[in-house]
Amino acid sequence: MPVSRRGLLAGTAVAGAALAVPGTASAAPSAPIGAKIGPGDARYLDLVTRGQNRRFVGTPDYIRVIRSPQDAVDAVQEAVRSGKRIAVRGGGHCFEDFVDSSDIEVVLDMSTNNDIAWDPQYRAFSVGSGAILENLYKELFFGWGLTVPAGGCLGVGVGGHFAGGGYGPLSRKYGSVVDHLYGMEVVVVDARGRARTVVATRENEHRDLWWAHTGGGGGNFGVVVRYLLRSSGSTGRTPEQSLPKAPAALRSTVLVYDWSKTTQADFVRTMRNWFTFFEQHNTPDSPYATLYAPFVITQKKAGQFLLSTQLDAAAPNSEQLMNAFNAAITTGVQAKPQTIDMGVGPFLHLTMERSIGETATPSRGKYKAAYLKKGYTDAQIVAMYNGLTDQDYNGPESSILLVPYGGKVNTVPSNATAAAQRDVVCKMVLTASWESAADDAMHLAWARKVYGDIYRETGGAPVPNATNAGSYINYPDTDLADPAYNKSGVPWHDLYYLGNYPRLQQIKSKWDPRNVFHHKLSIEPA
């Protein structure tokens, strides 16, 4: 059974059966393809509440369900002609209100645009931008024994995940997902307001538009209707040679920590052990290149937190490697965690089991993130501890997540893709999660205080330096554009894009000169 988003972040529960994967739905007999769905339509409420952060629910004038490139062209053209604000929804996992803002008048829903097939013309896998990662993993694996180093949340849509420079459990071995992104078909709007489709690849005359989608983030340049997947360096002579081979089996363990027995000293030592291990094993040729060990550190009222670990079972001495890793993490810790040996299981089955399944009842949330070039100082770890053990805060579903990164990711130059952070060890994601709107202020205040305390020395933000490498655009945080919270003087776009922002601005001016596609953290035209 997949771990639910809420269950994983709480570190305590395993959810029930996963929701059915959305397939390509057929239109109602009376409705033409791409028809407007307004407030009077039975489908409207389901479509506007697809977002996974219930702090935000939009009220657009209408929604159009996109099933083809021509659908997207027609929908964009009509909205531009009538002067309406457009937003695009794929999997619905945007952390901020980029789709569900009150000023969005038209939503293009891509969820049924989800075909996955081999395209012989481009010698690449064609993936509809409404596909979710679960669809993609199953199609590639069952069809060809392949995979991509994408994320561990099964319901995430490829649309925004790919464009923002997605990553996942296999990224330390195979790099960022954009290192396997050969091209995309995009609906763009020219200076005259004319909508059209463009196919941009890493090899053709529209390479700049391809580059912008390798980490520039969604909602900036146009409407992606499909992606083309073929690994960098592959010729695409056959499907089987075009993407990474999936492991046959994974070895897995879980370390469960009891908060009632975890002292500050033990916490600091545990975090230091984790950081040190990944600093020392961060090369692509490391025997630990396939090790994925996210630390899910829930707030103390959850009762426990956990370290979830997986490793390619075919790696030489994989059992000894796993035991050595667990020993390194627990060295010098007085209150040892419970070790649960999950054994060895088939790749896709274990991937589904250990991934974050979708939930029909998403909660409200605030998310704040950062890239790390090396581990936090002891003072920063203590700031984490203080926030997570704050007795005045009742947030059992809130957490800090540490995710190992780097490895193969770090072998690509910073400017080769728009995803600029190519010299990092891990990512941090701080999540406040709750149910009631009445509690918004308490949870927002907690998230902002803890994050601010961690980055107190750099003005409340992960300012790029010898330790920090900014943040991840797929985990957007509008606080970084607010001087009340980001007091560093470093603008939000430098935190997300480092030195790649000026080039992204030039591409924005060329391909979206009317700034049709924009949101609170969108790229500004040059």
Side-chain angles (χ1 to χ4, degrees):
M1 295 182 290
V3 179
S4 71
R5 172 180 289 276
R6 192 173 308 166
L8 180 64
L9 293 179
T12 59
V14 176
L19 299 180
V21 178
T24 303
S26 56
S30 60
I33 288 178
K36 295 178 181 178
I37 298 172
D41 192 299
R43 297 167 290 180
Y44 182 83
L45 283 177
D46 275 294
L47 287 166
V48 298
T49 56
R50 280 191 57 230
Q52 290 294 301
N53 186 352
R54 287 300 166 85
R55 281 179 62 209
F56 312 114
V57 177
T59 55
D61 295 349
Y62 63 87
I63 300 152
R64 289 185 66 165
V65 176
I66 304 302
R67 295 174 173 83
S68 69
Q70 191 59 50
D71 262 3
V73 170
D74 293 345
V76 170
Q77 190 66 77
E78 180 182 31
V80 169
R81 189 178 297 121
S82 58
K84 291 184 178 292
R85 278 287 314 276
I86 304 172
V88 184
R89 171 167 282 150
H93 287 260
C94 184
F95 287 167
E96 293 284 4
D97 64 343
F98 297 167
V99 177
D100 291 310
S101 175
S102 60
D103 61 347
I104 296 296
E105 298 162 298
V106 178
V107 172
L108 308 188
D109 188 283
M110 310 300 290
S111 59
T112 61
N113 177 49
N114 58 7
D115 289 345
I116 301 169
W118 174 254
D119 186 330
Q121 177 184 355
Y122 291 101
R123 305 192 312 280
F125 287 95
S126 174
V127 181
S129 60
I132 62 173
L133 293 180
E134 183 170 357
N135 298 133
L136 181 63
Y137 293 149
K138 289 179 176 178
E139 289 288 339
L140 290 178
F141 185 72
F142 288 137
W144 296 273
L146 304 175
T147 192
V148 286
C153 186
L154 300 177
V156 162
V158 302
H161 182 68
F162 286 6
Y167 75 100
L170 293 175
S171 286
R172 283 165 44 80
K173 177 67 174 179
Y174 294 123
S176 168
V177 73
V178 299
D179 301 329
H180 306 273
L181 188 58
Y182 175 72
M184 63 287 303
E185 185 173 4
V186 192
V187 178
V188 295
V189 179
D190 64 20
R192 295 176 295 169
R194 180 173 63 100
R196 62 190 174 103
T197 59
V198 173
V199 175
T201 76
R202 68 166 81 102
E203 298 169 352
N204 71 8
E205 69 272 25
H206 306 313
R207 188 179 187 278
D208 60 340
L209 187 60
W210 164 84
W211 184 88
H213 284 87
T214 61
N220 278 307
F221 306 99
V223 180
V224 178
V225 292
R226 66 169 176 149
Y227 286 103
L228 297 167
L229 298 182
R230 190 213 300 170
S231 298
S232 178
S234 170
T235 62
R237 289 191 180 94
T238 68
E240 292 79 5
Q241 296 174 335
S242 300
L243 289 173
K245 295 289 185 185
L250 298 174
R251 182 178 296 281
S252 171
T253 64
V254 177
L255 302 186
V256 182
Y257 293 79
D258 185 340
W259 263 123
S260 68
K261 300 176 182 177
T262 302
T263 63
Q264 178 178 298
D266 267 359
F267 185 85
V268 172
R269 182 59 187 265
T270 298
M271 296 300 105
R272 176 64 54 226
N273 289 345
W274 190 91
F275 285 128
T276 299
F277 185 90
F278 284 105
E279 289 171 13
Q280 294 175 347
H281 299 87
N282 197 36
T283 58
D285 59 351
S286 165
Y288 285 101
T290 63
L291 176 68
Y292 185 63
F295 225 135
V296 189
I297 316 164
T298 44
Q299 203 259 347
K300 187 172 183 177
K301 287 185 172 63
Q304 56 189 18
F305 58 98
L306 60 86
L307 177 61
S308 173
T309 307
Q310 67 182 52
L311 180 70
D312 186 347
N317 304 311
S318 65
E319 184 175 6
Q320 290 89 338
L321 289 173
M322 183 68 82
N323 291 339
F325 169 74
N326 289 334
I329 298 302
T330 58
T331 295
V333 177
Q334 298 302 306
K336 303 292 186 184
Q338 177 189 5
T339 301
I340 303 174
D341 187 351
M342 307 289 286
V344 174
F347 165 72
L348 189 63
H349 173 81
L350 196 59
T351 296
M352 297 294 108
E353 185 178 68
R354 300 295 296 278
S355 296
I356 305 173
E358 203 54 272
T359 173
T361 55
S363 55
R364 306 170 75 82
K366 178 63 179 176
Y367 308 84
K368 305 176 80 64
Y371 285 103
L372 285 75
K373 294 181 180 179
K374 60 182 181 180
Y376 284 141
T377 65
D378 284 359
Q380 289 176 300
I381 295 173
V382 169
M384 290 172 57
Y385 177 85
N386 289 341
L388 291 165
T389 60
D390 182 352
Q391 293 301 307
D392 295 329
Y393 175 61
N394 185 24
E397 295 177 359
S398 299
S399 66
I400 292 177
L401 175 66
L402 298 175
V403 187
Y405 198 54
K408 183 71 170 179
V409 172
N410 293 355
T411 64
V412 177
S414 181
N415 62 357
T417 63
Q421 287 86 354
R422 295 289 189 162
D423 58 350
V424 295
V425 169
C426 64
K427 298 188 183 189
M428 184 278 288
V429 190
L430 187 154
T431 300
S433 181
W434 67 98
E435 300 298 323
S436 172
D439 296 328
D440 283 4
M442 174 184 69
H443 292 282
L444 290 170
W446 177 83
R448 287 163 173 162
K449 181 180 187 306
V450 177
Y451 192 81
D453 287 347
I454 293 171
Y455 290 103
R456 184 179 303 278
E457 297 300 315
T458 52
V463 173
N465 56 24
T467 301
N468 306 317
S471 194
Y472 176 43
I473 193 59
N474 276 355
Y475 298 158
D477 174 15
T478 55
D479 287 353
L480 292 179
D482 187 338
Y485 306 110
N486 176 9
K487 302 174 183 179
S488 70
V490 176
W492 67 266
H493 47 75
D494 286 355
L495 298 173
Y496 286 114
Y497 300 116
L498 305 183
N500 286 341
Y501 188 64
R503 183 178 177 187
L504 286 166
Q505 288 186 286
Q506 294 291 335
I507 297 169
K508 171 75 169 179
S509 294
K510 175 181 175 181
W511 289 102
D512 186 21
R514 297 164 66 105
N515 202 21
V516 171
F517 305 98
H518 62 277
H519 49 74
K520 290 182 175 65
L521 293 179
S522 58
I523 293 164
E524 293 291 331

